[in-house]
Amino acid sequence: MSLNANIPSGPLAEKWDKHKFDLKLVNPANKRRFSMIVVGSGLAGASAAATLAELGYGVKCFCFQDSPRRAHSIAAQGGINAAKNYPNDGDSIQRLFYDTIKGGDFRSREANVYRLAQISNQIIDQCAAQGVPFAREYGGLLENRSFGGALVSRTFYARGQTGQQLLLGAYQALERQIGLKTVQMFPRTEMLDLVMVDGQTRGIVTRNLLTGRVESHAADAVVLATGGYGNAFYLSTNAIGCNATAIFRAYKKGAFFANPCYTQIHPTCIPVSGDHQSKLTLMSESLRNDGRVWVPKRKGDPRSPDQIPEADRDYYLERKYPTYGNLAPRDIASRAAKQVCDEGRGVGPGGRGVYLDFTEAIERLGKSGVCERYGNLFDMYQRITGEDPYQFPMRIYPAMHYTMGGLWVDYNLMSNLPGLYVIGEANFSDHGANRLGASALMQGLADGYFILPYTLSDALARAGQTKITTDHPEFKKAEKDVQNRLQKFLSIKGKRTVKSFHRELGTLLWENCGMSRNAAGLRKALARIPEIRAEFWRNVNVLGEKEELNQTLEKAGRVADFLEFGELLVQDALHRSESCGGHFREESQTDEGEAKRDDANFSYVAAWEHAGDGKPAVLHKEPLTFDAVQLAARSYK
């Protein structure tokens, strides 16, 4: 099957404006006749639901949290990129575009990334108008700071709470529409299936997580804004509730899953402290603006960091990447940390940590200056570790953080299933093989505020489809399938917990498909995952009933999806035998140990089609073409 990305013709800088003019519009009086379903209420979902409702559409918005306010977007602390060039340091839309394409190791779609850079400036204006309290400099302009992979300061921030403040802006816009009754909100509700009628996406099946009630909702279009699948790895920086269920059920209904092996490892997380943990804590990448990363030069050096003199320290990022230094991109900084720890020079319990040292910053800015920039992050670190980062360096180590794979979408953010749109982290579109920092917030808000409202109206104006109700046989069939699946979990009554299966799968994925991977390890994982899955369906123990609040039942469904999705993820990683971005194949590296890309054979989006239970997914390829940039080895030295 040929994948049509529907990229507009014309010069790169003019594609989006031309496309907006070519898109059909819906008469304002007719918009109220169309109904939308938005699943997810983080930055992408809340901004989309609020904007669509403001335009006049009837919107139903669903989230599994008890409030949209609790979406995981609040955890993106460091900042949001935009090409406004307030510091006058040479930034531009072209430079933001190029940095993002390069950061993605030339594995993202050129037209999408350029549009993202263009829209970035509108996002800042929109959020400032909403009252988001961005930091300001002396002259009154919004202040910027640096993030990894860029030599300019383009990251707008609200202390260490940027994601939270941006979410509050989108949440208030959403609440306004809820108050106006243009958005009907369904909290504590989880999407469990997608309903297709005559090849069109026409609705979803949900379960009320408090009462257990299963019901259907019909609409003219469905928007999935459900975030990423990092929790497949069990330990990650994601909130525990983050899952792949909505997009995976859509995949099983025919939506293509693109680049599932593209996952991002974040270099500045608090190290694992023991088996008791169910998640990891991210320390913001913004800390690398002023903190210096180092390890002892000597293996197993037992001295405390304040007793190790400068001559015995290895500032390995500054040594290996003198141009970018501590602001090397996330994948490079993560891999470098792993290398020094593998050499036996890691610090802390188990030797899986490196120091992030603020001694110089405190001398330069004073404790109050550092506190003003990062105070809440320092407080959080101290509460979790019991160590004072003003006195001793933080200990950090890489962890699973973000996913660049997701459902395949075209330039209009529509999947290959007509009427199914996918936005934010849930789609694959903008970040290629390695998203740079501070661009997740940018993408979520660009999709929700400024792209989807245009492209969705075009499809509605062209479709002219008939209305259907939830009495349609396809809805009844989907409801029955959901009920049967829930009952199956409860009827197994085995001896292992859901959590134990999740931990085993996550460990297997982290060890064989994490910061580095090779064919032997991937084949081992591919052989083991079906065995874990078979035991899950034979031996899992889910207590309680389905017509009540039952969190174990919720988790069972999500882990069952992870057990299938994990196999797809590894299958994708095995077929992509090149190294690109954070996806380091040990068989494909330079003499200096850097990632070695293979443009001749892998310059494409890998879109996988579900071929049926028990059958290998079918690979489709969307070739990537680059007209505005020249493919080059990705170097930050």
Side-chain angles (χ1 to χ4, degrees):
M1 175 180 177
S2 175
L3 289 172
N4 184 359
N6 289 314
I7 298 172
S9 59
L12 188 63
E14 299 172 14
K15 285 181 187 293
W16 179 230
D17 284 341
K18 176 180 181 297
H19 193 56
K20 282 192 291 185
F21 181 75
D22 291 340
L23 291 171
K24 285 187 173 295
L25 301 176
V26 177
N27 182 327
N30 290 338
K31 286 177 180 170
R32 66 178 70 97
R33 299 176 184 173
F34 290 104
S35 58
M36 308 291 151
I37 284 174
V38 178
V39 185
S41 61
L43 282 177
S47 59
T51 307
L52 292 172
E54 183 70 37
L55 288 170
Y57 299 109
V59 178
K60 288 182 176 180
C61 185
F62 299 81
C63 69
F64 63 76
Q65 299 94 346
D66 51 9
S67 162
R69 173 74 180 81
R70 293 178 63 83
H72 181 62
S73 300
I74 66 164
Q77 300 151 322
I80 176 171
N81 284 338
K84 282 189 172 291
N85 193 30
Y86 285 163
N88 203 26
D89 56 2
D91 201 9
S92 64
I93 289 173
Q94 179 68 23
R95 190 177 294 279
L96 174 54
F97 156 70
Y98 181 75
D99 285 349
T100 307
I101 283 281
K102 178 184 173 184
D105 218 349
F106 304 93
R107 289 293 176 266
S108 43
R109 196 187 281 151
E110 200 176 52
N112 285 58
V113 176
Y114 196 90
R115 177 176 62 183
L116 182 66
Q118 285 176 305
I119 290 174
S120 66
N121 291 342
Q122 291 175 259
I123 296 170
I124 301 302
D125 294 341
Q126 164 98 358
C127 295
Q130 286 176 336
V132 173
F134 288 119
R136 291 180 183 268
E137 47 93 76
Y138 178 77
L141 289 176
L142 303 184
E143 193 169 26
N144 290 162
R145 60 188 176 195
S146 305
F147 256 53
L151 295 177
V152 296
S153 296
R154 63 162 68 102
T155 305
F156 294 76
Y157 65 100
R159 211 180 182 195
Q161 305 172 347
T162 314
Q164 178 164 220
Q165 297 300 333
L166 291 173
L167 184 64
L168 280 172
Y171 173 64
Q172 288 175 112
L174 177 61
E175 286 290 297
R176 177 173 180 273
Q177 298 301 328
I178 293 172
L180 293 171
K181 302 189 185 309
T182 53
V183 171
Q184 189 178 359
M185 192 71 214
F186 293 83
R188 300 306 301 270
T189 305
E190 187 164 38
M191 171 185 155
L192 293 182
D193 209 352
L194 184 76
V195 179
M196 304 292 298
V197 177
D198 299 329
Q200 292 280 330
T201 306
R202 300 311 304 266
I204 61 174
V205 176
T206 63
R207 178 174 180 268
N208 183 312
L209 298 182
L210 295 178
T211 66
R213 182 180 177 185
V214 173
E215 57 186 359
S216 295
H217 302 267
D220 294 297
V222 173
V223 180
L224 300 185
T226 52
Y229 48 81
N231 274 349
F233 289 76
Y234 185 64
L235 286 180
S236 86
T237 63
N238 289 190
I240 291 176
C242 295
N243 63 84
T245 290
I247 56 175
F248 197 71
R249 301 297 166 83
Y251 163 74
K252 296 191 77 169
K253 283 295 179 74
F256 289 0
F257 210 116
N259 300 334
C261 79
Y262 282 0
T263 55
Q264 185 196 75
I265 312 293
H266 197 295
T268 57
C269 305
I270 297 178
V272 176
S273 60
D275 292 339
H276 63 283
Q277 284 179 279
S278 55
K279 78 177 297 302
L280 298 174
T281 303
L282 168 70
M283 303 305 296
S284 170
E285 180 177 346
S286 63
L287 293 169
R288 288 196 286 147
N289 263 303
D290 292 301
R292 300 182 68 193
V293 179
W294 64 276
V295 291
K297 284 185 177 177
R298 180 159 58 91
K299 293 182 182 178
D301 193 329
R303 293 176 289 181
S304 66
D306 58 327
Q307 300 299 313
I308 300 177
E310 285 289 317
D312 292 342
R313 299 180 179 188
D314 179 13
Y315 294 91
Y316 58 89
L317 287 177
E318 299 172 35
R319 171 174 57 81
K320 295 174 67 175
Y321 308 99
T323 301
Y324 282 77
N326 295 298
L327 288 177
R330 292 177 176 181
D331 63 313
I332 289 175
S334 296
R335 208 157 47 245
K338 181 177 185 296
Q339 286 171 351
V340 295
C341 291
D342 289 346
E343 292 167 7
R345 296 192 288 145
V347 300
R352 289 287 160 189
V354 300
Y355 288 128
L356 180 59
D357 195 336
F358 285 84
T359 304
E360 281 192 10
I362 293 171
E363 290 174 357
R364 185 176 74 253
L365 303 170
K367 183 177 178 180
S368 62
V370 172
C371 180
E372 186 178 338
R373 293 184 183 183
Y374 312 110
N376 61 321
L377 298 173
F378 276 48
D379 292 344
M380 183 173 71
Y381 180 87
Q382 186 167 14
R383 283 197 298 273
I384 293 173
T385 65
E387 301 169 5
D388 182 359
Y390 292 104
Q391 296 292 325
F392 298 99
M394 291 181 180
R395 289 180 297 104
I396 57 170
Y397 194 69
M400 175 56 56
H401 178 57
Y402 190 87
T403 53
M404 285 78 64
L407 293 187
W408 183 90
V409 291
D410 65 6
Y411 190 72
N412 295 317
L413 305 181
M414 188 163 79
S415 73
N416 59 302
L417 299 182
L420 177 66
Y421 293 81
V422 191
I423 61 177
E425 191 181 357
N427 75 31
F428 88 101
S429 69
D430 290 359
H431 301 308
N434 178 52
R435 181 187 66 93
L436 297 176
S439 55
L441 302 178
M442 183 169 60
Q443 189 207 348
L445 292 178
D447 288 0
Y449 280 136
F450 297 110
I451 300 174
L452 182 72
Y454 286 92
T455 59
L456 194 148
S457 70
D458 180 72
L460 294 174
R462 295 176 190 274
Q465 59 198 12
T466 57
K467 293 290 181 185
I468 63 165
T469 70
T470 55
D471 292 330
H472 193 282
E474 289 296 332
F475 280 96
K476 297 304 174 189
K477 177 179 182 302
E479 281 186 31
K480 186 177 180 182
D481 290 344
V482 166
Q483 291 281 16
N484 290 341
R485 182 179 171 88
L486 294 170
Q487 190 57 47
K488 188 173 181 182
F489 289 128
L490 294 166
S491 64
I492 296 172
K493 300 190 183 305
K495 295 181 179 178
R496 283 187 64 179
T497 64
V498 174
K499 190 173 184 176
S500 74
F501 284 103
H502 193 183
R503 183 187 287 123
E504 183 176 0
L505 172 69
T507 303
L508 188 71
L509 292 177
W510 178 251
E511 290 179 350
N512 296 285
C513 198
M515 275 189 282
S516 66
R517 48 191 76 165
N518 58 52
L522 292 168
R523 290 198 180 96
K524 173 187 168 187
L526 269 183
R528 179 60 185 145
I529 291 172
E531 295 173 354
I532 301 173
R533 187 166 64 238
E535 188 187 355
F536 175 88
W537 286 107
R538 189 175 63 245
N539 197 27
V540 73
N541 187 19
V542 181
L543 301 175
E545 303 295 334
K546 65 179 189 296
E547 292 85 9
E548 62 181 9
L549 173 64
N550 188 340
Q551 291 188 312
T552 305
L553 181 60
E554 296 169 28
K555 292 174 183 172
R558 295 166 187 169
V559 171
D561 289 331
F562 283 145
L563 284 166
E564 290 189 56
F565 169 72
E567 189 171 346
L568 180 68
L569 185 152
V570 176
Q571 182 181 348
D572 185 45
L574 181 61
H575 108 280
R576 190 170 286 276
S577 59
E578 66 166 351
S579 290
C580 58
H583 315 95
F584 189 73
R585 280 294 291 265
E586 295 168 5
E587 303 94 330
S588 180
Q589 53 183 302
T590 66
D591 294 338
E592 297 176 316
E594 302 289 349
K596 186 178 178 181
R597 217 174 54 233
D598 181 356
D599 292 328
N601 294 304
F602 291 99
S603 187
Y604 59 77
V605 176
W608 297 91
E609 178 185 9
H610 181 60
D613 292 337
K615 299 179 181 176
V618 178
L619 175 63
H620 302 271
K621 299 177 181 178
E622 179 202 331
L624 292 171
T625 57
F626 297 91
D627 301 318
V629 298
Q630 188 172 2
L631 293 175
R634 184 165 163 262
S635 172
Y636 292 89
K637 293 185 174 181

